[in-house]
Amino acid sequence: MKKFAVSKSWREDMEGAAKMAQENGSWWAVLTAAGLMLAVILLFGLGGWIVREQPGAFRLTAVFFALLFAVPGYLLASRSASQSRAVRESTLDLWQANQGLRESEEQYRTTMDAALVGIYIVQGGLFRYVNSEILRLTGYAREEIVERLGPADVVSRAWQGLVRENEARRMAGEEGAPYELAVRRKDGSTFDAMVWSRRLLYRGRPALVGTVLDISERKRAADALRESEERFRSIFAAAPIGVLTVTPQGTILQVNPRFCRILDYREEELIGHALAELTHPEDREATRVHFAEAEAGRCQPAGYEKRYLRRDGTVVWAQVTSTWICDAAGRPLYSVGLVHDVSEAKAAEARLRENEARLHYLSHHDPMTHLPNRLLFQDRLQHALAKARRHGWQVALLFLDLDRF
């Protein structure tokens, strides 16, 4: 009997189908593949012998049963192979998707660890994730805080109730604004922080993601600024001389009580008004030039005397020292003026000049006739002789004598 060789392509298809069926746990596919292999052996092995040795009727019957087993078996094996390929492709797609998800999660964690603010995830009242900044701020190691502590455990006792209340509200879906609190470090020290959180799903369960920003430096700077402003206001209000601030356009911004007393106005009557309205008409041009120089960028301190007008129209002489406050680009923001009332000094100077003039007159005139006396005559003569010597002139002296005078 001549041997009949099974087709190579058929053999590979059937072995592949059996292998893929086994990999996917389909025992029915394994049996189908085995039946297919048996049917092929019958069809090509035993079938060949039947064709050569047996009579026609038996030969047709054997071929019929061989095809009956072979064709369905091959179809089932082919279907199993197709399903196996589809499962393998689906498994590959799922693996690639999981790989991309792992890479994305790793990039996300790397980004959060590199953030300059603290980032955390809370679930069930405990930290499930904290980034490196949280560890730096609190002084804890990751294993000391993750799955062991919650937000209420790392704040001062006075803030624990507020933290739990906000955590419950956020978990209920309520949106909230950032708020300040004192965070307690591992060593017991505290720092001021700004905290914000919102709800999200973490590993299929509700959780909170939040940020922690250290605002200690900002708070210290704000406190220092507030203290500085309070000191300035105290000095401004208690200064023994008038103080005012004026815009580059000449509008009054602030005045202290002493300046109000100098001009006999209330504070609300002065703020927002033009400084020129309070300046003597003869001094307004000098004031305008002073402000024009500042607007031109020449912000130089200046000291000068000027006259102000009181509410009743009387004149107040003042010694003014003005300094411009400018921005980083050198543009004037406002002027600070120190106003010292020198009206009494000016009046005393005027009286002194009057007294000196009167004394000079009395010393050079006769008190009865008010005619020039001998002292004035000698003074004028000395002047005339000195002038004649300078210019080479001659001087004539006329002497008149009155009888019985």
Side-chain angles (χ1 to χ4, degrees):
M1 181 174 65
K2 185 178 179 180
K3 294 182 178 179
F4 190 82
V6 179
S7 169
K8 182 179 179 181
S9 60
W10 277 54
R11 187 189 310 116
E12 291 176 350
D13 287 344
M14 289 180 290
E15 290 176 350
K19 183 177 180 181
M20 286 183 290
Q22 289 175 343
E23 291 176 352
N24 289 277
S26 177
W27 291 104
W28 172 254
V30 172
L31 294 176
T32 303
L36 176 59
M37 294 176 68
L38 179 60
V40 170
I41 292 171
L42 290 173
L43 179 62
F44 290 97
L46 183 60
W49 175 77
I50 294 173
V51 170
R52 291 192 305 273
E53 304 295 338
Q54 299 301 322
F58 182 77
R59 185 185 309 163
L60 291 176
T61 303
V63 170
F64 172 76
F65 279 103
L67 291 174
L68 183 65
F69 280 100
V71 173
Y74 179 75
L75 293 176
L76 289 174
S78 298
R79 182 179 179 185
S80 177
S82 299
Q83 291 178 345
S84 298
R85 283 193 296 271
V87 170
R88 187 171 65 252
E89 292 174 357
S90 177
T91 302
L92 179 60
D93 291 341
L94 181 60
W95 179 84
Q96 291 175 343
N98 288 335
Q99 184 69 14
L101 182 61
R102 283 194 297 270
E103 292 177 358
S104 177
E105 184 175 354
E106 184 65 26
Q107 292 174 356
Y108 180 68
R109 286 181 178 272
T110 302
T111 301
M112 290 200 298
D113 275 338
L116 299 179
V117 297
I119 302 175
Y120 64 88
I121 296 177
V122 173
Q123 193 176 64
L126 296 176
F127 289 111
R128 304 301 179 182
Y129 167 80
V130 293
N131 71 342
S132 300
E133 182 66 7
I134 291 284
L135 302 179
R136 187 190 69 82
L137 291 174
T138 60
Y140 285 97
R142 195 177 301 273
E143 60 273 10
E144 293 176 323
I145 191 170
V146 174
E147 308 289 348
R148 292 177 177 272
L149 301 177
D153 300 319
V154 293
V155 298
S156 298
R157 186 179 300 275
W159 295 97
Q160 290 179 349
L162 176 63
V163 169
R164 292 191 178 97
E165 178 183 352
N166 284 331
E167 184 177 344
R169 289 181 176 180
R170 299 297 89 77
M171 288 297 292
E174 180 180 336
E175 293 291 336
Y179 61 97
E180 297 181 9
L181 50 73
V183 177
R184 187 178 69 249
R185 298 186 181 93
K186 181 181 178 180
D187 61 7
S189 61
T190 61
F191 66 92
D192 295 312
M194 178 77 73
V195 178
W196 174 89
S197 64
R198 64 173 301 173
R199 178 177 170 171
L200 85 165
L201 286 178
Y202 180 69
R203 295 179 178 175
R205 296 172 53 204
L208 292 180
V209 59
T211 59
V212 178
L213 177 64
D214 184 359
I215 60 172
S216 301
E217 290 297 328
R218 190 178 74 183
K219 291 274 286 185
R220 281 192 287 268
D223 292 341
L225 178 61
R226 184 170 56 253
E227 292 176 1
S228 177
E229 290 176 346
E230 290 175 355
R231 285 195 299 269
F232 176 78
R233 282 194 293 267
S234 298
I235 296 172
F236 187 81
I241 61 175
V243 183
L244 74 159
T245 60
V246 186
T247 68
Q249 293 73 38
T251 303
I252 297 175
L253 295 175
Q254 294 174 295
V255 291
N256 74 335
R258 177 55 181 164
F259 186 81
C260 295
R261 288 195 297 270
I262 290 174
L263 300 186
D264 193 26
Y265 281 99
R266 295 190 304 273
E267 180 180 355
E268 58 271 18
E269 294 177 320
L270 296 175
I271 293 177
H273 286 74
L275 184 62
E277 297 176 3
L278 306 174
T279 303
H280 192 279
E282 295 180 3
D283 294 339
R284 287 175 184 171
E285 179 61 21
T287 302
R288 186 194 66 78
V289 170
H290 174 67
F291 283 93
E293 289 180 349
E295 287 191 301
R298 296 185 291 273
C299 301
Q300 300 296 326
Y304 51 90
E305 287 186 350
K306 66 175 293 184
R307 288 165 288 183
Y308 290 98
L309 297 177
R310 287 193 179 96
R311 180 195 295 273
D312 58 7
T314 57
V315 175
V316 178
W317 276 95
Q319 177 67 42
V320 180
T321 301
S322 176
T323 301
W324 285 100
I325 306 300
C326 302
D327 61 14
R331 293 184 294 267
L333 299 176
Y334 57 91
S335 170
V336 178
L338 306 179
V339 180
H340 181 53
D341 185 358
V342 294
S343 299
E344 292 185 2
K346 282 288 186 179
E349 287 180 5
R351 289 193 298 270
L352 179 60
R353 286 194 298 270
E354 290 176 0
N355 291 335
E356 289 177 347
R358 181 176 178 80
L359 181 60
H360 183 272
Y361 181 85
L362 291 176
S363 63
H364 291 81
H365 293 78
D366 184 84
M368 293 182 60
T369 62
H370 297 287
L371 294 174
N373 59 13
R374 182 175 297 179
L375 184 61
L376 182 58
F377 167 74
Q378 291 177 348
D379 180 71
R380 295 293 186 268
L381 179 60
Q382 293 295 330
H383 280 285
L385 293 175
K387 188 174 182 180
R389 283 194 295 269
R390 285 197 306 272
H391 297 283
W393 298 343
Q394 292 183 349
V395 177
L397 177 62
L398 178 62
F399 180 77
L400 296 177
D401 187 17
L402 298 177
D403 294 335
R404 294 183 296 277
F405 179 73

